[in-house]
Amino acid sequence: MPKLVIVGTVALDNIRTPFGEVKNALGGSAFYAGLSASYWTEVGLVAVVGRDYPPDGFSVLNRHGVDVRGIEKSAELTFSWSGEYTYDLNTAHTLKTDLNCLLSFNPDIRKSYQDIDTLFLANIDPDIQGRILDDLEKAPSLVVLDTMNYWIETKKNSLLKVLKRIGILTINEGEARMLSGQFSLVQSARVIQDMGPETVIIKRGEYGSLVFEGKSIFASPAYPLEDVRDPTGAGDSFAGGFIGYLTRHEDRSNDRLRQSIVIGSAMASFCVSDFSSRGIENLKPPDVSRRLQEFSDLTSYRSLAPILRSDGSQ
Ligand code: AMP
C-alpha cells in the first residue's frame, strides 16, 4: 500500500522552448509528481490515459516502482497540453488544452486505495479534486493541492470550495496574484491562507519558492543551472519531491517542512535540465546527494556580527 497517493493528469505534451521542441512527450501533473516522489517514498497514481497513450509511459513509471493500479484506460484520447516558453522560462504560455478523456474521468479512489496517509491533489479539474475528498472514508493525515490559471479562470468556485479542505497549497506566483487579487506575494499568501490552507507555497520559477506556514516565512532559491532546457514539470517535480520526503517522516514540524522544500527544489532542478521527464528519470543517489550539498553550500554563510556604527552616523 503506497504511503503517498497522487491524483492528477497523465498527459501527452507538445512543448516548444528556445532550446528545442517535443511532440507527444510524456507529461502531466501526476506523471511528473509521481516520478519525482518515487525517489523518496512509495507512491501510487490515480489518473486516466486514453487509447493513444504509449506503453513507454507505463514502462517509465514501472521502472521507478510507481503503483499504476489507479490509472484508468479510456477509449477517448489522452489529455494533451501544448505550451510554449519564450526567453522568460518562468512563464508557460498555453497554446492549447485538449481535455479529451479528462472530461469523463470520474475516479473511484476507494477501488485502488482506502487508507491514505498523504494525498496530493495535483493540478487537475477542482471538481475532481473535491469528489476525491468526498469519496474518502478516512481523512488522510495531510492533503496537498496544486492548481493553475486554467482552473482559476474556468472553475474558481469549485476551487474555492476545495481550498477549505486542504492543509497545503502550492501555486505559481502569477496564479497566487490572480487567485488573491493582491500584487504583494506576502499579502497574496495571507489572503489565500484565509481561504483555507494553513500553508501556502508560492513557486517562483528560477527565483525559487516562498513558504508561508502560519506566520512563518521560509525562502528557498532555485538551483542556478547553467543550462535550463524545458521548465515543464518543474512545479510538479518540486511538489513530488517535497511531499515524498514529508510523507517519509512522522513529524510535520516547520523544520521538516523547510528540509522538504530543499528536496523539492533539488528535484525541480533535475527536471528542467532536459525535455519532458528525462531529467528526473534514473537518478542515482550520488547525483541527488551532490545536488543537496550544492544547495547547502549555496545558502550557507557565517552568521553576521552587528555591523552598524553604534551612533548610527554616516
Ligand atoms: P508544471 O509543473 O506546472 O510545469 O506542469 C506541467 C504539466 O502540467 C504538463 O505536463 C501538462 O500536461 C500539465 N497540465 C497543463 N495544463 C493542465 C491543466 N489544465 N490541468 C492539469 N494538468 C495540466
Side-chain angles (χ1 to χ4, degrees), residues 194-216:
D194 285 341
M195 294 173 178
E198 196 209 343
T199 306
V200 174
I201 300 175
I202 299 186
K203 301 171 285 179
R204 308 187 61 221
E206 64 182 312
Y207 305 114
S209 61
L210 286 173
V211 181
F212 299 82
E213 184 174 62
K215 294 249 171 290
S216 103

Side-chain angles (χ1 to χ4, degrees), residues 7-9 29 102 105 121-126 128-129 146-147 151:
V7 184
T9 53
S29 57
L102 207 60
F105 182 45
L121 298 169
N123 184 24
I124 197 169
D125 185 334
I128 297 178
Q129 294 174 321
D146 185 60
T147 193
W151 303 114

